Amino acid sequence: NDIDQHLEKFIPYGIKILKIKTSTYETIKNVAYCKQKYPELEIRVDFNAHFKTYNKETKKILEACKEIGVHFYEQVFSFNDILNHADAQKDLGINIALDESVKSPLDLTQAIKAGAISYLNLKPARVWGVYESIEINKIASKHNLHMWCGGMLESPLGTNFLMHLNTLWQFNYPVDFMDYVNFYGDEINNIILEKNTIKDWMVYPIEWAGTWI
């Protein structure tokens, strides 16, 4: 019932992607329920670095997600565990998305070489800012890596920067940081509205790609 009540707030707006945080075999039932009831949605699962190693238990959970039709699997293992991500991706033929594991352009390069990543959730604050974010974008473009921006700069001013960062060429997945509207008043949110156009859950930044960067 809680799942239905939450999703029914957003389904009428035409959402296409559902991200579910989970960690155990039991909670995978929630993933299966969502996919069965809303088969048109692309399902992502975020494990928040829950697992310590790629063993039988982890493999069972990932295989269950694969059978359900999960699109990709975000940060399955610890932030400093590239090898287990690589093993899981190769062994199961699944798409791994990294988040906490990428704190620099070097981290991304090593993850790509190890075969540990297909998608990247970039947090500009985690990679030390604008220049590094642009360098990571260049590396991702060279290797045709899918990206989206996960935030960590949720003030209205920070969100404005993130929106313009997401106009760069390799950010080809929807942003993951628009919940700021739940925390700030209308006067502050108008900073965003004055500078950009928001229509039908889409944000159209002013001028050209990357104009604030």
Side-chain angles (χ1 to χ4, degrees), residues 2 10 15 48 64 81 88 135 174 182 194 205 207:
D2 290 342
F10 301 100
I15 64 168
N48 280 122
D81 189 350
E135 290 301 301
N182 295 321
E194 288 171 2
E207 301 182 27

Side-chain angles (χ1 to χ4, degrees), residues 104-145:
S104 68
L106 178 60
D107 286 342
L108 178 58
T109 299
Q110 291 177 339
I112 292 171
K113 286 184 177 180
I117 184 172
S118 296
Y119 294 81
L120 173 62
N121 182 0
L122 176 67
K123 306 283 181 61
R126 177 175 289 132
V127 302
W128 296 92
V130 178
Y131 177 80
E132 288 78 2
S133 295
I134 294 174
E135 290 301 301
I136 285 173
N137 179 267
K138 292 176 182 177
I139 296 169
S141 180
K142 180 179 178 181
H143 295 276
N144 196 29
L145 187 72

Side-chain angles (χ1 to χ4, degrees), residues 20-141:
I20 302 174
K21 292 182 180 288
T22 188
S23 59
T24 67
Y25 190 75
E26 288 301 312
T27 57
I28 297 301
K29 294 177 181 178
N30 295 331
V31 181
Y33 174 80
C34 291
K35 188 62 177 177
Q36 183 178 14
K37 184 156 186 180
Y38 305 100
E40 71 280 7
L41 295 182
E42 176 187 300
I43 304 291
R44 309 172 178 179
V45 174
D46 185 357
F47 292 96
N48 280 122
H50 176 78
F51 298 106
K52 304 303 180 186
T53 187
Y54 183 49
N55 54 24
K56 290 182 179 179
E57 178 188 357
T58 310
K59 185 174 181 178
K60 179 182 177 182
I61 291 173
L62 296 178
E63 285 178 330
C65 289
K66 183 178 181 180
E67 186 175 342
I68 293 166
V70 169
H71 188 65
F72 63 70
Y73 310 71
E74 184 176 346
Q75 202 63 48
V76 182
F77 305 100
S78 175
F79 76 93
N80 58 355
D81 189 350
I82 294 298
L83 294 182
N84 273 316
H85 281 108
D87 288 344
Q89 180 161 266
K90 181 179 179 180
D91 185 33
L92 298 177
I94 59 177
N95 295 316
I96 293 291
L98 293 182
D99 179 354
E100 289 85 357
S101 291
V102 176
K103 302 183 291 299
S104 68
L106 178 60
D107 286 342
L108 178 58
T109 299
Q110 291 177 339
I112 292 171
K113 286 184 177 180
I117 184 172
S118 296
Y119 294 81
L120 173 62
N121 182 0
L122 176 67
K123 306 283 181 61
R126 177 175 289 132
V127 302
W128 296 92
V130 178
Y131 177 80
E132 288 78 2
S133 295
I134 294 174
E135 290 301 301
I136 285 173
N137 179 267
K138 292 176 182 177
I139 296 169
S141 180

Side-chain angles (χ1 to χ4, degrees), residues 168-183:
L168 296 180
W169 52 92
Q170 203 58 29
F171 286 91
N172 48 19
Y173 261 68
V175 298
D176 198 11
F177 57 77
M178 293 303 289
D179 271 352
Y180 78 91
V181 295
N182 295 321
F183 302 103

